[in-house]
């Protein structure tokens, strides 16, 4: 709880003036709630004593109407302001969360699913916001009502007050002890909810594939299992609530019973007036809501503590890949040397690439081939510094890559992955993600080099055509060429095509690569490919098998003796499938 408040305290401090105002309004609202009962009591006593004049009646009746009216207006003011604070806080928390996700390294995305990360940014974040809004409101307002009502009751008669409400604190204490178990159920529910979100997300994302394979029923069953689990875990919470929640009503009935019985006796013995008894009983009635709300606050807070832990589990994460204080800028390079590089994914048991040593020189076009799963992508993605390598070094002009700014390396590299991530924006905007301030000339050159020009003519609105989520409105080849144009627009020092032309035919692939090589003769191109025709003109070809380099050479050299490359090449030109 303390931790959770520390986490939103900066916001309360920042907005303290507004908080003071809404706090005062809340206290006023709670005190004003007690006034009509007092007026009613006075009116009854004056009626009983036959001293109620018409003017006095009008004054008292007006009081009964005006106080609720004033409360209504104050309520509007209060809710407007507290909601504004709530929105501001959740916006801030969400912004921090998203910025932090960008800072974290790839290991986080290995550990947490998308659904889990989303539920932390929605459900958990909302709960955390409630701490600085709803919870504060519940505590201040209800304590205000409780204290006001009890003070008024004591002023009527202390003994009657003690007799009527003595059992309340004990019963609440006991009930809350019982409810501690619910916290456990809530924790489980959070996890189940995250799993369900993930499953639903996957179903929505994969809806086309699911349909194409006729797997609707199968997918539905899996989603249903996730939803059923969610309902089941929620059900446990509800069951608990329905058994222990209403118990307090019984306690309350008992308090009323004592109040009426003992109160009537006091009226008869002239210790209090009938009007005071009515006022007193109304105050007993006023205690119920605040007591329930305050005892529930503990549950809400328990819930919030879990959300706080979940939200800050991500926020407190420090990326393992980060710039150290003296990290150097990097704008260009002459050579990049991989020296005995091995790399193991964070949650894997064995390294994927082992003892890799090779050099990338500026201006070279390098081909990388090898069986699927050999580690080609893993090897080349080390230049993006998504993870720290497990052993060995990568040196850029003699400087360890770990001593260079990550952003500098990202600027150096234009990476086109196998899975093309396109955004729900126009074609042009998708290209401009590569370089937001690119000139028209630069965009056109990128489009031309990526062989995307002919596609623009076919698209309904040319470069203004909206690309659907995940590039749905474009063909596979168009998506790939668009992604290449995006990487090319910044004219990167190193262009990496990671099997990114698999959806175009061999001839087009070879043509695109040949024109890239020519246009970018000063720069470096790294081409991971399945088709040998794509790498045939490379300055050097690296053959990677099972995470190690088994051969290096030009196409001609590699074909000059018996090896995996030659064997696969011959198979491929015969039309057999690649291993
Ligand atoms: P290639 O590009 O040659 O097909 P990859 O580099 O994609 O090979 O994959 C090499 C191996 O690393 C594969 O066994 C793959 O399952 C594993 N791998 C790839 N990405 C991850 C990851 N994010 N976490 C764990 N293992 C991975």
């Amino acid at each position: 709880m303390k931790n959770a408040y520390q986490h939103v305290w900066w916001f309360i401090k920042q907005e303290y003036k507004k908080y003071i105002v809404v706090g005062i309004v809340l206290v006023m609202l709670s005190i004003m709630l007690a006034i009509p009962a007092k007026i009613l009591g006075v009116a009854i006593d004056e009626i009983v004593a036959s001293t109620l004049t018409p003017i006095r009646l009008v004054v008292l009746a007006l009081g009964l109407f005006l106080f609720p009216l004033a409360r209504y207006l104050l309520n509007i003011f209060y809710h407007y302001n507290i909601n504004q604070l709530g929105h501001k806080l959740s916006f801030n928390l969400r912004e921090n969360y998203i910025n932090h996700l960008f800072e974290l390294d790839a290991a986080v995305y290995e550990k947490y699913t998308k659904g889990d990360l989303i539920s932390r940014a929605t459900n958990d974040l909302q709960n955390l916001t409630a701490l600085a809004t709803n919870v504060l409101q519940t505590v201040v307002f209800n304590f205000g009502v409780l204290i006001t009502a009890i003070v008024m009751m004591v002023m009527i008669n202390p003994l009657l007050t003690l007799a009527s409400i003595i059992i309340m604190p004990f019963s609440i204490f006991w009930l809350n002890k019982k409810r501690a178990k619910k916290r456990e159920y809530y924790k489980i529910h959070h996890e189940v909810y995250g799993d369900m979100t993930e499953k639903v997300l996957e179903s929505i994302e994969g809806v086309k594939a699911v349909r194409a394979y006729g797997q609707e029923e199968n997918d539905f069953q899996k989603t249903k299992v996730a939803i059923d689990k969610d309902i089941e875990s929620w059900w446990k919470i509800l069951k608990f609530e329905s058994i222990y929640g209403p118990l307090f009503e019984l306690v309350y009935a008992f308090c009323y019973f004592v109040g009426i019985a003992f109160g009537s006796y006091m009226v008869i013995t002239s210790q209090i007036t009938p009007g005071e008894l009515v006022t007193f009983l109304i105050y007993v009635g006023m205690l119920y809501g605040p007591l329930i709300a305050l005892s529930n606050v503990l549950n809400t807070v328990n819930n919030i503590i879990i959300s706080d832990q979940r939200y800050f589990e991500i926020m407190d994460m420090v990326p393992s890949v980060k710039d150290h204080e003296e990290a150097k800028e990097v704008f260009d390079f002459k050579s990049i040397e991989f020296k005995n590089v091995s790399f193991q994914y964070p949650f894997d048991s064995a390294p994927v690439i082992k003892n890799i040593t090779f050099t990338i020189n500026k201006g070279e076009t390098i081909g990388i081939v090898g069986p699927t799963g050999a580690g080609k992508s893993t090897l080349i993605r080390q230049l993006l510094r998504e993870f720290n390598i497990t052993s060995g070094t990568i040196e850029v002009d003699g400087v360890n890559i770990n001593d260079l700014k990550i952003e500098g390396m990202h600027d150096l590299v234009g990476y086109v992955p196998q899975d093309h991530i396109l955004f729900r924006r126009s074609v042009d905007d998708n290209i401009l993600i590569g370089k937001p301030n690119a000139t028209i000339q630069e965009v056109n050159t990128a489009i031309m080099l990526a062989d995307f020009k002919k596609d623009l003519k076919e698209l309904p609105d040319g470069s203004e055509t909206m690309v659907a989520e995940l590039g749905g409105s474009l063909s596979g080849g168009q998506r790939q060429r668009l992604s290449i144009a995006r990487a090319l627009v910044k004219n990167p020092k190193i262009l990496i095509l990671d099997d990114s032309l698999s959806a175009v035919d061999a001839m087009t692939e070879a043509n695109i690569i040949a024109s890239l090589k020519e246009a970018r003769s000063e720069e470096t191109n790294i081409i991971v490919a399945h088709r040998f025709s794509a790498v045939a003109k490379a300055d050097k070809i690296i053959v990677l098998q099972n995470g190690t380099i088994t051969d290096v050479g030009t196409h001609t050299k590699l074909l000059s003796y018996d090896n995996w490359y030659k064997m696969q090449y011959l198979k491929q030109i015969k039309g057999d499938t690649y291993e």
Side-chain angles (χ1 to χ4, degrees):
M1 169 73 174
K2 199 170 140 232
N3 255 355
Y5 259 110
Q6 272 167 359
H7 286 143
V8 291
W9 186 242
W10 62 271
F11 181 76
I12 297 177
K13 235 160 80 180
Q14 176 191 306
E15 302 288 335
Y16 78 97
K17 283 187 191 148
K18 254 198 175 150
Y19 271 105
I20 290 176
V21 174
V22 293
I24 292 174
V25 171
L26 267 185
V27 173
M28 282 167 68
L29 281 171
S30 53
I31 293 175
M32 285 161 80
L33 196 64
I35 293 175
K38 180 76 191 155
I39 297 176
L40 197 65
V42 171
I44 290 173
D45 282 342
E46 291 190 14
I47 293 168
V48 172
S50 306
T51 55
L52 189 65
T53 61
I55 295 181
R56 188 85 184 129
L57 178 64
V58 170
V59 170
L60 291 176
L62 262 181
L64 281 178
F65 172 71
L66 287 180
F67 274 102
L69 179 68
R71 283 195 78 246
Y72 167 73
L73 296 175
L74 275 178
N75 244 316
I76 294 178
F77 173 82
Y78 170 78
H79 278 109
Y80 176 79
N81 282 287
I82 199 75
N83 279 324
Q84 214 178 32
L85 284 170
H87 280 299
K88 198 166 172 183
L89 175 61
S90 63
F91 176 82
N92 270 309
L93 291 174
R94 195 160 290 143
E95 192 183 29
N96 293 344
Y97 185 82
I98 289 169
N99 284 340
H100 189 64
L101 281 187
F102 277 123
E103 276 168 22
L104 289 176
D105 50 55
V108 177
Y109 300 95
E110 300 279 316
K111 187 170 172 193
Y112 299 93
T113 61
K114 270 184 272 175
D116 188 7
L117 290 173
I118 290 173
S119 93
R120 287 168 204 253
T122 49
N123 221 9
D124 294 320
L125 193 141
Q126 244 165 20
N127 284 343
L128 205 50
T129 307
L131 194 60
T133 53
N134 298 7
V135 174
L136 275 187
Q137 165 186 329
T138 310
V139 171
V140 175
F141 176 75
N142 291 298
F143 263 121
V145 175
L146 269 190
I147 292 168
T148 314
I150 293 174
V151 167
M152 300 292 247
M153 286 160 79
V154 170
M155 277 164 63
I156 293 171
N157 191 297
L159 195 62
L160 182 59
T161 310
L162 190 68
S164 317
I165 64 172
I166 185 91
I167 92 163
M168 281 186 186
F170 298 106
S171 48
I172 286 182
F173 180 75
W174 177 78
L175 277 175
N176 273 334
K177 256 182 115 174
K178 282 266 156 220
R179 282 194 201 153
K181 199 167 173 58
K182 224 170 61 177
R183 182 174 173 180
E184 217 174 278
Y185 290 153
Y186 262 112
K187 192 161 186 179
I188 297 170
H189 180 68
H190 274 285
E191 278 158 23
V192 173
Y193 182 81
D195 288 349
M196 185 198 65
T197 318
E198 173 67 14
K199 180 68 207 84
V200 172
L201 204 72
E202 193 185 277
S203 296
I204 294 171
E205 273 180 359
V207 70
K208 282 187 189 159
V210 168
R211 269 198 209 138
Y213 288 101
Q215 288 297 312
E216 291 96 327
E217 185 54 34
N218 218 343
D219 188 73
F220 172 72
Q221 282 310 330
K222 284 195 181 134
T223 313
K224 191 171 171 303
V225 170
I227 294 174
D228 283 348
K229 269 194 181 160
D230 180 60
I231 294 172
E232 196 185 316
S233 75
W234 188 236
W235 187 235
K236 274 193 177 153
I237 296 173
L238 284 186
K239 228 160 60 182
F240 217 86
E241 288 223 313
S242 46
I243 292 174
Y244 289 102
L247 255 183
F248 192 64
E249 280 179 33
L250 270 183
V251 175
Y252 212 71
F254 181 74
C255 294
Y256 255 126
F257 169 75
V258 175
I260 293 175
F262 193 33
S264 305
Y265 167 76
M266 286 189 156
V267 172
I268 295 163
T269 54
S270 299
Q271 295 179 57
I272 57 172
T273 64
E276 281 174 332
L277 178 60
V278 171
T279 307
F280 184 90
L281 290 175
I282 294 177
Y283 288 147
V284 174
M286 268 171 57
L287 298 181
Y288 184 77
L291 282 173
I292 291 292
L294 286 172
S295 67
N296 280 340
V297 147
L298 285 183
N299 297 316
T300 315
V301 166
N302 282 342
N303 215 358
I304 291 173
I305 290 173
I306 297 165
S307 285
D308 175 71
Q309 284 163 355
R310 282 169 50 81
Y311 177 83
F312 280 95
E313 182 182 329
I314 304 292
M315 291 305 284
D316 290 343
M317 256 179 197
V318 181
S320 53
V321 183
K322 60 175 185 220
D323 287 340
H324 64 71
E325 271 171 21
E326 278 147 36
K328 295 188 187 78
E329 301 279 359
V330 53
F331 301 107
D332 204 351
F333 76 102
K334 287 200 181 67
S335 74
I336 299 178
E337 282 179 272
F338 280 61
K339 293 181 174 173
N340 278 317
V341 172
S342 297
F343 173 73
Q344 180 172 333
Y345 282 102
F347 302 101
D348 268 5
S349 52
V352 169
I353 50 170
K354 291 156 266 185
N355 291 322
I356 299 281
T357 299
F358 77 106
T359 306
I360 302 167
N361 293 310
K362 190 176 170 70
E364 261 181 347
T365 290
I366 299 176
I368 302 182
V369 293
T372 304
K376 302 181 294 293
S377 283
T378 307
L379 167 65
I380 219 58
R381 288 176 80 120
Q382 299 308 321
L383 292 176
L384 297 170
R385 291 210 52 207
E386 294 165 308
F387 301 93
N388 285 322
I389 53 175
T390 315
S391 64
T393 50
I394 301 174
E395 290 176 8
V396 180
D397 294 339
V399 181
N400 192 320
I401 200 168
N402 296 344
D403 297 331
L404 296 172
K405 290 212 161 138
I406 299 169
E407 205 177 326
M409 282 310 294
H410 287 173
D411 286 345
L412 221 56
V413 177
Y415 178 70
V416 187
Q418 255 165 312
D419 310 322
H420 303 278
I421 306 290
L422 297 177
F423 296 87
R424 194 187 268 276
R425 304 182 194 175
S426 70
V427 164
D428 262 352
D429 285 344
N430 264 288
I431 294 176
L432 284 171
I433 290 168
K435 185 180 178 188
N437 58 354
T439 60
I440 294 177
Q441 178 73 31
E442 284 170 320
V443 174
N444 286 339
T445 309
I447 287 176
M448 191 196 65
L449 280 176
D451 200 24
F452 192 61
K453 205 173 175 114
K454 62 177 188 312
D455 299 295
L456 285 182
K457 289 192 199 115
E458 287 168 19
L459 293 174
D461 298 317
S463 62
E464 299 285 303
T465 307
M466 279 302 286
V467 177
E469 220 165 340
L470 304 175
S473 58
L474 306 181
S475 73
Q478 285 171 335
R479 288 211 296 271
Q480 293 190 331
R481 289 190 288 271
L482 177 54
S483 299
I484 294 176
R486 179 199 289 163
L488 282 171
V489 76
K490 70 173 183 180
N491 194 18
K493 301 290 177 200
I494 306 171
L495 174 71
I496 302 176
L497 301 185
D498 190 354
D499 203 14
S500 31
L501 280 166
S502 54
V504 302
D505 61 82
M507 180 89 110
T508 314
E509 178 179 46
N511 284 343
I512 293 176
I513 289 173
S515 62
L516 275 177
K517 189 169 185 288
E518 197 186 317
R520 291 177 43 83
S521 59
E522 302 286 304
E523 309 297 359
T524 306
N525 303 307
I526 300 175
I527 296 147
V528 177
H530 264 85
R531 282 187 289 236
F532 293 93
S533 51
V535 294
K537 295 210 170 72
D539 300 309
K540 80 178 165 218
I541 299 164
I542 292 169
V543 180
L544 197 72
Q545 284 177 279
N546 199 16
T548 50
I549 294 182
T550 51
D551 240 330
V552 182
T554 59
H555 181 65
T556 326
K557 184 189 153 209
L558 288 173
L559 287 182
S560 66
Y561 56 94
D562 286 340
N563 55 33
W564 179 89
Y565 187 89
K566 186 173 174 183
M567 203 169 74
Q568 294 299 327
Y569 174 75
L570 294 176
K571 261 192 193 174
Q572 209 168 70
I573 50 172
K574 272 204 301 183
D576 290 354
T577 47
Y578 185 87
E579 187 181 296

